[in-house]
Amino acid sequence: MLPICALIAFIITFLTTRWVIHVAKERKIVGKDVNKPNKPEFPALGGIAIVAGFVAVTFVLLIQDPNYERIISSILLSSLLIAFLGLMDDFLNLRQSIRAFTPIFAAVPLAVFSVGHSAISIPFLGVVNLGIFYYVIVIPAALTISSNAFNMLEGLNGLGTGMGIIMSASLAYIGLTRSGNIFVAGEMALILLASLLAFLYYNKYPAKVFIGNIGTYFVGSVIGSIGIAGYMYTALAVLYLPYVAEFILKARTRFKGVSFGKVNEDGTLYWNGMPNSLTHVVMKMGRFKEYQVVAILWIIEGIFAILAIYLQTTVIVI
């Protein structure tokens, strides 16, 4: 049944992306691809298709596994609340303070689901019971960081989508090798993976559609929610290490920095100032075209994904 669910998520996302491209073009909901010499415009809000594919099949899981209604509902509700935040940001260009703190309220469903489980495993330290601080600090902080951080490292064709594929594949592998709530979290990670793979067809270089803030916030929140509800904090922390570096680089600019590059005549990207993003760090390593910069960052995330799986499955005992 699970492979069929993943296939359905893929098909729904694939077809919905085509629809979004058509409608966005028709209604002039577009954005400029500044990493191309002629700065072409492409449809935005492609993340709606990822939301559609994931939500539709998650409801199937909800019917199939009623015993796990709480974990499925909490992940779904928290992610949809943050997706709404992303949609508002796409149209209203919200202030940084609103984008930074609104996800705290979206963490309530996850906190309610986690009541009775306030202990987490920390590598080499063992199990630590955080009590009330787990619900009011750890869960809101983890969801806020995961959704906002994922939104920071974006701006190149296929970058965020590919990073999400690697991260969701890692969580799916970890979850599907366990049982109970962690297995269900793994199922939801697999559904997200299928949706992202379908969207990558249109979002990879040269992109036909942009993921939009609704997409980056949603994907980041689903990954964070799965890690929280599935008690995969170690994997989540390791997967987000590149985003920690991105946060530091963006903080140096008071979060006004961009991930875009400047374009040479041969199509390679460069950045001649202080790096505002990991993308700029890669650009300074050599003369790379956009898809090569993206591939390097995917490889880096892939290395952290392997480390995340190792630590979560061999060092951590849940």
Side-chain angles (χ1 to χ4, degrees):
M1 183 64 181
L2 186 56
I4 295 176
C5 287
L7 179 61
I8 294 172
F10 183 95
I11 293 172
I12 291 175
T13 302
F14 191 88
L15 295 178
T16 306
T17 304
R18 294 184 62 178
W19 174 80
V20 170
I21 290 173
H22 173 74
V23 172
K25 280 183 179 178
E26 192 175 70
R27 302 185 182 180
K28 306 299 181 184
I29 306 175
V30 296
K32 287 187 177 181
D33 192 341
V34 298
N35 292 307
K36 305 295 189 300
N38 56 345
K39 306 293 188 294
E41 291 186 337
F42 293 105
L45 301 181
I48 290 174
I50 301 172
V51 177
F54 180 81
V55 172
V57 179
T58 297
F59 277 117
V60 175
L61 280 185
L62 202 55
I63 297 171
Q64 178 188 347
D65 296 321
N67 293 332
Y68 296 103
E69 176 184 351
R70 288 182 62 198
I71 182 173
I72 296 173
S73 299
S74 62
I75 292 174
L76 186 59
L77 184 54
S78 291
S79 299
L80 283 175
L81 287 171
I82 295 181
F84 181 66
L85 168 66
L87 185 62
M88 289 194 300
D89 194 23
D90 277 318
F91 284 101
L92 303 178
N93 192 23
L94 301 175
R95 289 183 298 176
Q96 183 65 37
S97 58
I98 296 176
R99 286 180 287 174
F101 294 108
T102 303
I104 293 175
F105 301 100
V108 172
L110 289 171
V112 172
F113 159 75
S114 300
V115 169
H117 187 109
S118 58
I120 61 174
S121 296
I122 301 177
F124 313 114
L125 292 180
V127 177
V128 179
N129 194 327
L130 300 175
I132 189 66
F133 295 104
Y134 179 73
Y135 310 114
V136 299
I137 295 179
V138 174
I139 291 178
L143 186 61
T144 300
I145 291 170
S146 61
S147 56
N148 277 284
F150 196 88
N151 185 59
M152 288 183 186
L153 187 54
E154 180 51 56
L156 278 66
N157 292 175
L159 176 56
T161 305
M163 298 287 275
I165 287 172
I166 296 167
M167 298 166 85
S168 57
S170 304
L171 295 178
Y173 176 84
I174 295 168
L176 294 175
T177 57
R178 303 296 180 92
S179 59
N181 286 337
I182 304 175
F183 180 82
V184 176
E187 288 183 313
M188 298 186 76
L190 183 64
I191 292 171
L192 177 63
L193 171 62
S195 296
L196 289 170
L197 285 170
F199 185 72
L200 184 64
Y201 177 82
Y202 296 99
N203 186 234
K204 70 180 186 301
Y205 181 93
K208 300 179 180 67
V209 63
F210 296 138
I211 191 170
N213 288 326
I214 182 176
T216 54
Y217 277 111
F218 179 74
V219 174
S221 64
V222 173
I223 291 171
S225 297
I226 288 172
I228 293 167
Y231 311 119
M232 294 183 275
Y233 280 101
T234 297
L236 199 61
V238 175
L239 289 170
Y240 270 93
L241 285 176
Y243 291 87
V244 173
E246 184 72 10
F247 176 86
I248 294 171
L249 291 171
K250 287 290 198 303
R252 291 170 60 249
T253 67
R254 296 183 180 180
F255 301 100
K256 295 180 180 179
V258 298
S259 300
F260 314 126
K262 300 177 182 179
V263 190
N264 289 308
E265 292 183 359
D266 61 356
T268 57
L269 300 180
Y270 71 96
W271 187 259
N272 51 11
M274 290 292 290
N276 294 341
S277 170
L278 285 176
T279 58
H280 299 160
V281 174
V282 175
M283 291 173 197
K284 286 179 172 291
M285 292 168 53
R287 295 178 68 87
F288 300 115
K289 293 192 174 180
E290 182 178 357
Y291 63 87
Q292 293 172 318
V293 175
V294 170
I296 291 171
L297 290 171
W298 285 355
I299 291 171
I300 292 172
E301 182 62 29
I303 293 171
F304 282 105
I306 294 171
L307 179 61
I309 292 172
Y310 171 76
L311 289 175
Q312 188 73 57
T313 57
T314 62
V315 178
I316 303 301
V317 179
I318 300 178

